[in-house]
Amino acid sequence: MKFCLLLRSAVKHQTHHFHTHPGSPSTNTLLKDYVKTKATQKALLLFRNLWSKKNKAIDSFSLLFVLKSCTIRSSAGTAMGEGKQFHGLIVNLGFQNIIFLQSAMINMYSAYGSLDDAQQMFDEIVAKNVVCWTSLISAYVDNGKPSKALKLFRQMQMETVEPDQVTVTVALSACADLGALEMGEWIHTYVRRQGFDIDLSLNNALINMYAKCGNVKMARRIFDRIKVKDVTTWTSMIVGHAVHGQAVEALELFREMTAADDSNSKKSVIRPNDITFVGVLIACSRGGLVEQGLYHFQSMRNKYKLKPRISHCGCIVDLLCRAGFVQKAYDFVIDMPIKPNAVIWRTLLGACSLQHNTKLAENARHRLLELEPDYAGDDVTISNTYAAAGMWDEKMTARDRVKQRRIPGCSSIEVDCEVHEFVVQDKKHPKCNAIYEILECMMKSMKNHGYGHA
């Protein structure tokens, strides 16, 4: 989750005494202001200037603001080196056991995408509190490891560390990414039993979780109960309706959200962001609303001054392809101001296969060979395209390439609030022998009932 959530949690739980003299209030205030305004270069220059003069104004709070500056800079793609330098400085000063600095370093390494360093920092903490746990859980969520994040969430509770409002918000995000509805419902029940103050961030997380996990009715129920909504609230619900094919509901919400833009209403104006438009364009695509989709794509740029990203262009390609306009989709891709990625070309390839447009399919496959040459699924698609056109020699060539480099896909299943992942012929699961025994029994039973002989 976003760093501001963790900061709020850290302030709530911070009760430690610092092993250094208090720094200058004016120095730390200035560093804090630089962090708040994301003037990270100024913060680092000020600290280095103070350090070079051996200024006694430096204390553990100063180092905290420096770490936050490194975190912001790492999120913007700056090299990891400076963060590690400050980590070394903290160790040299003997501050490595101050828990709020350790939590800040977990956040910093997470922003760099270095989960090994974040995990190591966490493991070195002797007396772990809820902030430390939340920082590490968030690190795995932010770096695309939601399954590991939920395992940590359960481990945290087994070690009798009670999650707080921020922790459950982060855990709900992991549930949303995994589609783990059962676990998400358990967290929602836990929130109610503990009597948490369900603020807007937590409500937004619940809406997002229920929508992504398929329970759109529950997501909408929570949405309708919220009196004061922000752009995340509206966007989560719009996207939720859109991805489940409820185009009318999604577009109606978008009209309601932006109504104040076109009136003299005194209500607070909620302006859509780029993610909102992803939801709107998905709704148009799923609903076959080509003209509306193109209109919203234009209004995004002209009315709301939002620069289209690759995801928006991908939605337009999907919109045109679903409507059968593969030539228009191809022309749109060629004229895109952003370099098309493999997902866009793959969308076009699939549509060309369905439309039996061999020429455009070959063009798309050629582009995909340049971007992701080892992805076997593209050879399967072009093989099917050739088969439909009666081009049997080309089909056999494509199928041979599939056999040479096919990589097994991964499947997952949620059992008792735990997500298990498998690949073909997986032997790593601790209960793999029992699983295969049951599968063997199922296969025999199916054959006895006349299935599987072909």
Side-chain angles (χ1 to χ4, degrees):
M1 294 299 292
K2 298 301 181 184
F3 184 72
C4 59
L5 286 175
L6 300 179
L7 176 59
R8 185 182 65 189
S9 182
V11 171
K12 177 180 177 182
H13 293 277
Q14 189 168 288
T15 58
H16 297 271
H17 298 288
F18 311 124
H19 307 292
T20 182
H21 49 271
S24 164
S26 58
T27 299
N28 285 337
T29 299
L30 188 55
L31 284 170
K32 182 179 180 180
D33 288 341
Y34 283 148
V35 172
K36 187 176 181 180
T37 58
K38 296 187 178 181
T40 56
Q41 186 67 26
K42 291 182 179 180
L44 296 182
L45 288 174
L46 172 60
F47 181 86
R48 285 168 178 158
N49 182 48
L50 294 171
W51 179 252
S52 66
K53 296 178 180 178
K54 301 188 183 300
N55 194 307
K56 293 184 178 181
I58 293 175
D59 66 356
S60 49
F61 281 109
S62 310
L63 292 166
L64 176 63
F65 296 131
V66 168
L67 288 172
K68 290 177 181 177
S69 296
C70 291
T71 301
I72 295 170
R73 288 166 66 79
S74 65
S75 299
T78 308
M80 193 194 298
E82 63 186 13
K84 283 188 172 288
Q85 288 175 5
F86 283 110
H87 185 173
L89 176 61
I90 289 169
V91 173
N92 290 335
L93 290 173
F95 296 158
Q96 68 270 22
N97 293 326
I98 298 179
I99 197 165
F100 73 88
L101 290 179
Q102 292 171 313
S103 296
M105 283 188 279
I106 293 173
N107 297 332
M108 180 188 70
Y109 284 124
S110 170
Y112 284 125
S114 181
L115 287 175
D116 289 341
D117 287 318
Q119 181 70 58
Q120 183 178 343
M121 187 72 259
F122 176 81
D123 292 340
E124 291 174 3
I125 300 174
V126 178
K128 300 175 178 67
N129 65 10
V130 65
V131 180
C132 308
W133 283 96
T134 303
S135 295
L136 189 64
I137 292 168
S138 180
Y140 281 103
V141 172
D142 290 342
N143 286 279
K145 304 284 185 181
S147 183
K148 175 65 175 178
L150 287 184
K151 287 180 181 178
L152 282 169
F153 179 70
R154 287 188 291 269
Q155 182 183 343
M156 170 187 176
Q157 293 171 291
M158 286 189 289
E159 297 191 16
T160 66
V161 179
E162 289 294 327
D164 66 3
Q165 189 167 325
V166 181
T167 318
V168 296
T169 301
V170 176
L172 284 168
S173 180
C175 293
D177 292 342
L178 281 171
L181 178 60
E182 186 179 351
M183 185 64 178
E185 289 174 331
W186 184 91
I187 293 173
H188 192 185
T189 302
Y190 176 85
V191 165
R192 287 183 291 204
R193 286 178 179 174
Q194 294 297 111
F196 284 164
D197 179 20
I198 304 181
D199 62 5
L200 188 57
S201 294
L202 184 48
N203 266 323
N204 289 343
L206 286 166
I207 292 170
N208 185 51
M209 183 277 294
Y210 278 116
K212 286 187 175 179
C213 292
N215 193 342
V216 186
K217 287 184 178 179
M218 187 62 183
R220 185 59 189 260
R221 194 178 304 165
I222 296 170
F223 174 87
D224 290 337
R225 286 202 302 257
I226 300 173
K227 294 181 179 179
V228 180
K229 304 175 178 69
D230 64 5
V231 66
T232 303
T233 318
W234 288 95
T235 298
S236 296
M237 198 64 249
I238 289 170
V239 172
H241 281 306
V243 298
H244 289 91
Q246 298 172 356
V248 174
E249 292 84 348
L251 294 174
E252 180 59 36
L253 275 186
F254 180 72
R255 282 190 289 270
E256 185 180 343
M257 172 186 176
T258 57
D261 279 350
D262 304 311
S263 68
N264 294 321
S265 172
K266 293 183 179 180
K267 79 171 187 177
S268 178
V269 176
I270 305 293
R271 292 183 66 81
N273 59 24
D274 55 347
I275 302 174
T276 314
F277 275 98
V278 170
V280 170
L281 294 176
I282 290 174
C284 292
S285 178
R286 301 292 171 86
L289 306 171
V290 176
E291 291 185 7
Q292 281 195 50
L294 295 174
Y295 166 79
H296 286 302
F297 185 72
Q298 292 297 329
S299 70
M300 173 185 174
R301 295 183 294 182
N302 299 335
K303 182 177 179 179
Y304 295 101
K305 310 303 179 186
L306 295 171
K307 185 177 180 180
R309 297 187 292 132
I310 193 74
S311 53
H312 303 103
C313 295
C315 287
I316 294 298
V317 174
D318 185 59
L319 171 71
L320 294 171
C321 285
R322 283 174 179 264
F325 302 131
V326 291
Q327 185 63 54
K328 287 185 178 180
Y330 180 80
D331 295 339
F332 178 87
V333 172
I334 295 300
D335 294 335
M336 276 173 53
I338 312 167
K339 183 179 179 180
N341 61 12
V343 175
I344 287 179
W345 284 114
R346 195 162 290 129
T347 301
L348 187 61
L349 174 62
C352 291
S353 180
L354 291 173
Q355 295 289 319
H356 309 301
N357 192 324
T358 307
K359 182 180 179 180
L360 287 186
E362 288 178 332
N363 287 339
R365 179 69 187 108
H366 178 72
R367 301 297 183 116
L368 284 164
L369 282 171
E370 297 173 352
L371 295 169
E372 293 183 0
D374 296 327
Y375 185 79
D378 298 330
D379 283 319
V380 174
T381 304
I382 196 69
S383 171
N384 293 337
T385 308
Y386 287 139
M391 301 168 67
W392 303 112
D393 290 341
E394 290 84 351
K395 168 186 164 59
M396 293 306 300
T397 301
R399 296 300 296 188
D400 288 342
R401 287 198 298 264
V402 174
K403 294 177 182 178
Q404 292 170 12
R405 60 171 185 261
R406 189 158 204 167
I407 300 172
C410 178
S411 301
S412 63
I413 185 171
E414 183 185 12
V415 180
D416 293 332
C417 294
E418 184 172 358
V419 177
H420 301 264
E421 295 180 338
F422 303 90
V423 297
V424 175
Q425 298 181 341
D426 196 345
K427 302 290 185 182
K428 295 181 180 180
H429 195 277
K431 295 183 179 180
C432 65
N433 291 333
I435 292 171
Y436 281 119
E437 285 180 10
I438 293 173
L439 284 173
E440 185 66 26
C441 291
M442 291 174 64
M443 293 298 294
K444 289 180 179 178
S445 178
M446 290 173 66
K447 288 181 179 179
N448 290 337
H449 287 82
Y451 297 96
H453 293 293

